Amino acid sequence: MTASRSDEKPRARKKVPVKKRRKPIPDGIRTTCLTTMQRIRKLEEANDEGMVRCISCGKVMHWKEAQGGHYIPRTVRPTEIDPDNIWPQCPQCNGVRHGNLLDYRYRLSKRIGEERVRRLEDMKAAYYGDEEAMERLDPDDQKEVRRKRGKVYYAERYAELKAHLKELER
């Protein structure tokens, strides 16, 4: 005689551990991270009245009018949020004059020294595959050049930058 389904005891289901859901990382996190870093650099360079000097031409303006200009383009990921690479620039130098790089480099080397400027240039060359440039970099910079930058990287960096920005805005 066969037992009907109604006569059988219900099977106990296995308990599956519930995974904590992480907040999704927004698509624009890289842009947000870059914008935050540019704001930080402008605030760091501002004097007590909030005025900054364009790294390329020397024009003085309020930090809110300035742009965060990059010596090495933002497409070179290892240097895109490096503080040595981001300086206040007037809209004319950063936009119309496409960065005004000759003057930018000259004033940058006066400001931070030729060795640090060469470091940025070596990071760019290493990023594009120059092995000699990679050998000139210290191990930490070599690691930065090789690092894969995805949403998680930018989310972590953004959290650090956001905390630093809060300190500066006090």
Side-chain angles (χ1 to χ4, degrees):
M1 177 169 166
T2 14
S4 68
R5 279 205 170 265
S6 60
D7 294 343
E8 291 178 10
K9 282 188 176 179
R11 291 185 203 169
R13 289 188 173 179
K14 289 183 181 178
K15 287 190 177 182
V16 179
V18 178
K19 292 182 181 178
K20 282 188 175 181
R21 289 189 180 186
R22 292 184 184 179
K23 289 183 181 178
I25 299 171
D27 287 333
I29 191 68
R30 177 177 175 254
T31 305
T32 304
C33 189
L34 289 169
T35 304
T36 303
M37 185 61 190
Q38 291 169 8
R39 184 179 181 112
I40 286 171
R41 290 297 295 135
K42 291 186 293 185
L43 284 168
E44 287 175 342
E45 292 302 311
N47 64 16
D48 294 339
E49 290 88 39
M51 304 304 276
V52 295
R53 183 176 301 276
C54 174
I55 188 77
S56 298
C57 70
K59 178 182 176 184
V60 177
M61 72 206 98
H62 194 272
W63 73 267
K64 290 181 181 180
E65 297 170 13
Q67 297 177 355
H70 289 74
Y71 172 58
I72 305 293
R74 292 181 307 180
T75 55
V76 179
R77 299 284 174 102
T79 61
E80 68 185 350
I81 53 177
D82 189 311
D84 282 348
N85 192 39
I86 304 168
W87 295 86
Q89 268 191 315
C90 67
Q92 289 76 27
C93 285
N94 198 30
V96 178
R97 296 182 189 135
H98 305 287
N100 194 359
L101 293 179
L102 289 175
D103 291 333
Y104 195 131
R105 190 189 191 294
Y106 174 76
R107 286 195 172 91
L108 184 60
S109 68
K110 294 282 185 197
R111 198 102 181 234
I112 65 173
E114 189 64 30
E115 186 177 313
R116 286 167 59 186
V117 173
R118 279 200 205 112
R119 175 188 156 264
L120 291 172
E121 292 168 344
D122 283 343
M123 288 180 79
K124 176 184 177 182
Y127 178 73
Y128 287 120
D130 185 337
E131 289 300 320
E132 291 175 14
M134 182 67 91
E135 289 172 11
R136 287 191 297 265
L137 294 171
D138 69 35
D140 290 337
D141 288 339
Q142 289 178 4
K143 195 163 110 178
E144 276 300 304
V145 169
R146 291 185 182 112
R147 175 177 278 155
K148 175 98 170 114
R149 285 167 178 75
K151 285 184 180 180
V152 173
Y153 170 80
Y154 289 107
E156 290 169 356
R157 286 306 308 265
Y158 177 64
E160 296 168 13
L161 294 173
K162 198 166 134 182
H164 185 61
L165 183 61
K166 280 185 180 180
E167 290 174 18
L168 288 173
E169 289 180 331
R170 286 185 194 171

